[in-house]
């Protein structure tokens, strides 16, 4: 039996309603198809998943909660409490039967999923910016109300549908429906697409970019592809700043490092691509044409096409042109910015340096993505033989079959670690304790595993930041000591100021006693769906300084 959690108490006295947040929500939709033997949905069988997210680094800070006016079946299938952000960061689907937790708020949720194309978006905005609703969400999520609305957090909203598919009840957000459709090779879209690929994802999308998600500029009445749903649809955001965030505007689709093997991809859609009518994609990069043939996908869906190439060894802007032959189309140009991270190493420290006003900073939360998933449509011929009579006791069989598609899924994951140690030339270091003014060494190791090695690069770069520069002003790009398809080892470059030509970083002689932590951002493991990266740190202890090792005595 499902346990209802934390129900709001209805207060039977008049109250004044105040708007607390600002809703970044828009919506669309259209007519619903007819119920079939494969699935059905009753309008109103819906809810909203709410997740508290830290604005600064997009981290999920509470367990998502599901709000609904309905009482879902005790045996309903669901995928737990996972937000769109967590799925986009690599979480997979984990189906569960029963035990679905939800909250029926005292203040009923307005209609979320449109069935007529007339979306209830203003009522949705009003509801989720109502002070009493925000107070209730804070209570459900275990957060103090004033903390929730202080500008450091946002609410991520995701519409949920409860529907029958292949004889069982199922609860999914739009993102979960798109991911599940990939698991069942597109059959969910075939039988339930008006709900799962149109009215559910189009019930909420962003008016302006936020939390790393773009504003939606595509159709608001047509079926959406799985990739579009996962990247851009089925979400709204409530923010609590006095002024709305300025959208982040960039003129580049990719930022790459110099002399690095990368993967660039585009999404192909339109019509159906199969062996009888295939799509070919050509990437023109710096005068070289890379051809990707036999890009297949079913009607109404899409497929990523990608190319591996190595960036030039000098920083520059690169425009990639993309041409498509066959039934599909794609983005025509891709703008890439090539940057050189080896241009801002720390200055040479000297023995009489001082920094009396130094105050240590916390290690920043740099971008991390340690796993990725992508898929490839694989067509196969469904034979359907029909007898054609040409007369009495004569005729011939003819195959009137068609192309079906299975979806092959692939993944990659990155793991990495770093170690800093006192330099071997340090005469007084003991274990992980050393005096300031001496050098340190660093080793970064990484492993990449992939079920499609040709679509995954090695881990190629690491950048170290230091506490004396507040992890910002100067940095060191590490050397690639050894790189293979699955493992990498990187160390500091040789320091031009080292008397012994060591791979070292000199700590400042003025650094105060206590923890000395180095932050390293491990980057440039590329997949068809973007870059994998890890944010690492390691710590030594500073006790004393190198002047303590000097003894001045009169000459004899």
């Amino acid at each position: 039996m499902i346990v209802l959690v934390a129900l709001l108490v209805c207060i039977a006295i008049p109250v004044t309603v105040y708007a607390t947040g600002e809703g970044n929500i828009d919506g669309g939709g259209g007519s619903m198809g007819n119920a079939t033997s494969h699935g059905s949905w009753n309008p109103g069988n819906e809810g909203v998943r709410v997740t508290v997210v830290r604005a600064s680094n997009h981290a999920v800070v509470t367990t998502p909660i599901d709000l609904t006016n309905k009482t879902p079946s005790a045996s309903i299938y669901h995928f737990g409490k996972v937000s769109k952000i967590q799925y986009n960061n690599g979480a997979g689907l984990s189906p569960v039967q029963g035990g679905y937790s939800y909250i029926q708020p005292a203040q009923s949720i307005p209609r979320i999923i449109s069935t007529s194309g007339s979306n209830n978006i203003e009522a949705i905005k009003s509801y989720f910016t109502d002070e009493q609703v925000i107070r209730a969400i804070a209570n459900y999520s275990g957060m103090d109300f004033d903390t929730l609305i202080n500008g450091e957090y946002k609410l991520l909203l995701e519409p949920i549908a409860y529907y029958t598919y292949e004889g069982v009840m199922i609860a999914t957000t739009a993102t979960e429906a798109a991911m599940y459709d990939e698991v069942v090779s597109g059959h969910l879209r075939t039988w339930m697409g008006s709900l799962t690929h149109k009215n559910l994802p189009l019930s909420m999308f962003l008016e302006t970019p936020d939390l790393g998600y773009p504003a939606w500029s595509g159709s608001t009445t047509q079926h959406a592809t799985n990739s579009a749903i996962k990247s851009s649809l089925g979400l709204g955001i409530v923010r609590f700043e006095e002024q709305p965030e300025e959208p982040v505007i960039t003129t580049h689709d990719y930022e790459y490092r110099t002399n690095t093997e990368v993967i660039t991809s585009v999404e192909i859609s339109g019509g159906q691509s199969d062996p009888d009518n295939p799509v070919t994609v050509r990437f023109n990069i710096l005068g070289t044409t890379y051809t990707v043939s036999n890009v297949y996908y079913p009607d109404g869906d899409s497929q990523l096409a990608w190319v591996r190439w190595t960036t030039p060894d000098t920083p520059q802007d690169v425009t990639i042109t993309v041409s498509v032959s066959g039934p599909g189309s794609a983005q025509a140009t891709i703008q890439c910015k090539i940057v050189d991270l080896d241009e801002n190493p720390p200055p040479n420290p000297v023995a009489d340096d001082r920094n009396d006003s130094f105050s240590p900073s916390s290690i920043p939360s740099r971008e991390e993505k340690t796993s990725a998933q992508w898929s490839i449509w694989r067509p196969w011929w469904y034979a359907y033989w029909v007898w054609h009579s040409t007369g009495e006791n004569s005729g011939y069989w003819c195959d009137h079959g068609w192309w079906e598609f299975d979806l092959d899924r692939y993944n990659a994951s990155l793991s990495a670690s770093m170690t800093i140690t006192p330099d071997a030339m340090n005469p007084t270091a003991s274990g992980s304790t050393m005096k300031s003014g001496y050098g340190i060494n660093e080793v970064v190791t990484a492993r990449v595993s992939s079920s499609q090695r040709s679509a995954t690069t090695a881990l190629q770069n690491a950048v170290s930041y230091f506490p004396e520069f507040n992890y910002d002003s100067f940095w060191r790009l590490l050397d690639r000591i050894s790189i293979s398809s699955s493992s990498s080892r990187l160390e500091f470059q040789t320091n031009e100021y080292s008397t012994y030509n060591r791979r070292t970083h000199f700590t400042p002689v003025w650094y105060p006693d206590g923890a000395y932590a180095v932050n390293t951002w491990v980057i440039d493991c590329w997949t068809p769906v973007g870059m994998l990266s890890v944010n690492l740190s390691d710590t030594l202890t500073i006790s004393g300084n190198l002047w303590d090792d000097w003894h001045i005595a009169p000459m004899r």
Side-chain angles (χ1 to χ4, degrees), residues 253-254 256 262-266 282-286 288 290 307 309 317-323 331-336 338:
D253 300 294
Y254 288 91
Y256 297 130
V262 299
I263 292 177
T264 303
S265 63
V266 293
R282 293 177 177 85
F283 299 80
N284 188 279
I285 307 174
L286 295 172
T288 300
Y290 302 81
V307 61
W309 61 287
D317 289 343
V318 174
T319 298
I320 300 174
T321 58
V322 181
S323 61
Q331 178 180 346
T333 60
I334 302 171
Q335 302 296 334
C336 305
I338 315 298

Side-chain angles (χ1 to χ4, degrees), residues 36-50:
T36 72
S37 60
H38 293 272
S40 62
W41 175 71
N42 292 323
N45 275 352
E46 61 188 21
V48 176
R49 181 161 297 166
V50 183

Side-chain angles (χ1 to χ4, degrees), residues 538-553:
D538 193 24
T539 303
L540 293 173
T541 300
I542 298 293
S543 179
N545 62 64
L546 63 78
W547 292 120
D548 297 335
D549 294 336
W550 287 71
H551 175 67
I552 300 175

Side-chain angles (χ1 to χ4, degrees), residues 257 260 341-342 416-418 442-446 459-465 475-480 483 488-493 519-525 534 536:
R257 264 56 61 188
T260 300
L341 292 180
D342 197 19
S417 62
M418 68 169 285
E442 178 177 347
V443 175
V444 170
T445 57
L459 186 284
Q460 298 164 84
N461 285 315
V463 190
S464 290
Y465 302 84
W475 53 83
R476 293 189 184 278
L477 179 66
L478 274 62
D479 255 351
R480 303 166 187 171
I483 301 286
S488 306
R489 179 186 173 94
L490 302 96
E491 299 180 17
F492 286 146
Q493 297 181 33
N519 170 224
T520 300
W521 193 34
V522 179
I523 55 177
D524 288 327
C525 171
V534 182
L536 303 173

Side-chain angles (χ1 to χ4, degrees), residues 6-7 18 26 32 59 67 111 142 159 183 229 260 341 347 366 403 489 501 532:
L7 291 178
Y18 297 97
D26 206 344
M32 292 293 297
L67 306 179
R111 178 63 61 87
V183 172
I229 293 170
T260 300
L341 292 180
R366 305 185 195 277
W403 290 104
R489 179 186 173 94
N501 207 33
L532 302 185

Side-chain angles (χ1 to χ4, degrees), residues 242-439:
E242 291 184 5
Q243 296 295 327
E245 277 188 353
E246 291 295 325
V248 176
I249 300 174
T250 178
T251 58
H252 298 94
D253 300 294
Y254 288 91
E255 181 173 289
Y256 297 130
R257 264 56 61 188
T258 55
N259 192 29
T260 300
E261 187 180 38
V262 299
I263 292 177
T264 303
S265 63
V266 293
E267 184 177 18
I268 315 298
S269 62
Q272 174 169 298
S273 176
D274 54 48
D276 291 332
N277 195 18
V279 160
T280 297
V281 184
R282 293 177 177 85
F283 299 80
N284 188 279
I285 307 174
L286 295 172
T288 300
T289 298
Y290 302 81
T291 300
V292 183
S293 303
N294 301 324
V295 179
Y296 301 130
Y297 54 87
D299 185 27
D301 220 295
S302 63
Q303 176 63 56
L304 286 178
W306 59 85
V307 61
R308 292 174 68 138
W309 61 287
T310 300
T311 62
D313 57 9
T314 57
Q316 57 190 276
D317 289 343
V318 174
T319 298
I320 300 174
T321 58
V322 181
S323 61
V324 179
S325 60
S329 61
Q331 178 180 346
T333 60
I334 302 171
Q335 302 296 334
C336 305
K337 185 176 182 64
I338 315 298
V339 299
D340 187 354
L341 292 180
D342 197 19
E343 295 184 336
N344 202 28
N348 182 33
V350 295
D352 59 355
D353 279 348
R354 296 180 65 91
N355 189 353
D356 297 335
S357 62
F358 174 76
S359 177
S361 300
S362 58
I363 292 175
S365 298
R366 305 185 195 277
E367 177 186 354
E368 282 193 308
K369 184 177 182 181
T370 58
S371 63
Q373 296 81 37
W374 63 96
S375 54
I376 298 176
W377 287 106
R378 176 170 48 84
W380 56 276
W381 184 255
Y382 183 90
Y384 183 71
W385 292 95
V386 176
W387 172 258
H388 292 265
S389 177
T390 58
E392 186 176 354
N393 298 324
S394 65
Y396 61 93
W397 288 96
C398 183
D399 186 359
H400 287 233
W402 55 85
W403 290 104
E404 292 279 357
F405 293 82
D406 287 336
L407 195 65
D408 295 334
R409 288 170 285 134
Y410 300 92
N411 61 78
S413 61
L414 168 67
S415 60
S417 62
M418 68 169 285
T419 303
I420 57 173
T421 56
D423 187 89
M425 302 303 292
N426 185 331
T428 57
S430 176
S432 61
T433 300
M434 59 177 278
K435 295 180 174 68
S436 63
Y438 288 110

Side-chain angles (χ1 to χ4, degrees), residues 2 5 14 58 75 95 99 104 110 134 161 174 214 217 235 350 360 392 396-397 419 554:
I2 296 178
V5 295
H58 308 169
S75 60
Q104 292 174 321
I134 300 297
S217 58
L235 77 158
V350 295
E392 186 176 354
Y396 61 93
W397 288 96
T419 303

